[in-house]
Structures are given as structure tokens and as C-alpha cells.
Amino acid sequence: QVHLVVSGGGSVQAGGSLTLSCAVSGDIGSVNHVAFFRQAPGKEPEEVACMRIEGGDPDYPRFMRGRVIISRVKSADTWILQMDRLKVEDTANYSCAARRGEYCASWHGIYPYWGQGTQVTVSS
């Protein structure tokens, strides 16, 4: 079993920055990808960033490229999502997920392990 705990989030004005953390514990060896997702009211969850646990190029959807960086604090098995130049449309509930697979998957349904969500609200 893998456990994920999300922290961070909050409210910020458009153009500002926020940092989320995802602490992973348990049988970490059973997964090899960590991703952040978000879900706005009435919408499906969408991938925000993903990376292979052992390194390599992260995966970012087009709408987040240049505004988000995912990284790992290896000593703490914690993943960091740094978000800059936030927009009002980035307002959503954010969470992190983990899975074992061959690639970073953008479909939320393929991830078996999830952390609780944290709200990010961007105001104009």
C-alpha cells in the first residue's frame, strides 16, 4: 500500500505563485511515477505534472508548460509542485497520485493511489 499526503495550496492573486507538496510513504517500491492532478467543479480530473520516481524528463500538459515544475526531495520522499504565473482558470482542487507503469499517464483512472485534495483558488 502507498500513502500520499498533499499539503500547500490556498488563495493567491492572478500572476502569483504557489507550492504544493506530496509526501509519499508505504511501499514506495511498488510505484514508479508520481503525478499531480487537478479537478475543477463540473470537470474531469486533469494532469498537471508527472515524473518518473527515478528521474528523467517530467511530463507537463501544454496548458501548464513554462508555469509549473515538479521535483523530488529524495531524502524525504516528497514531491514538490511549484506553480508560477497562476491564472484564474487554474482554480481547482489539486491532488497527487502514484502508479507503476511504463510512462506518465494523463488519465486519472489509471492511478491506484491518491492523496487527499487541497484547494487552490486564484482570484483576479
Side-chain angles (χ1 to χ4, degrees):
Q1 190 74 354
V2 178
H3 303 281
L4 300 93
V5 178
V6 182
S7 60
S11 298
V12 66
Q13 287 193 319
S17 300
L18 276 176
T19 300
L20 304 182
S21 298
C22 176
V24 183
S25 62
D27 188 11
I28 296 177
S30 67
V31 297
N32 62 355
H33 287 87
V34 172
F36 283 87
F37 281 80
R38 71 184 187 186
Q39 186 172 21
K43 294 187 177 181
E44 287 287 303
E46 57 183 358
E47 179 200 6
V48 175
C50 175
M51 70 176 290
R52 195 174 183 88
I53 285 179
E54 293 306 317
D57 292 335
D59 179 69
Y60 304 114
R62 186 175 299 178
F63 61 85
M64 293 304 290
R65 286 175 195 165
R67 302 193 297 123
V68 63
I69 297 174
I70 185 173
S71 59
R72 181 186 181 187
V73 180
K74 196 169 184 178
S75 60
D77 286 329
T78 297
W79 277 258
I80 306 297
L81 183 72
Q82 174 66 38
M83 300 185 289
D84 300 313
R85 300 195 301 279
L86 285 164
K87 305 175 182 179
V88 172
E89 50 264 42
D90 292 322
T91 295
N93 193 270
Y94 286 69
S95 187
C96 60
R99 79 177 197 110
R100 170 161 290 278
E102 295 296 319
Y103 54 88
C104 276
S106 60
W107 182 51
H108 62 92
I110 204 172
Y111 288 82
Y113 303 109
W114 288 83
Q116 86 290 4
T118 186
Q119 181 66 29
V120 171
T121 301
V122 185
S123 58
S124 59

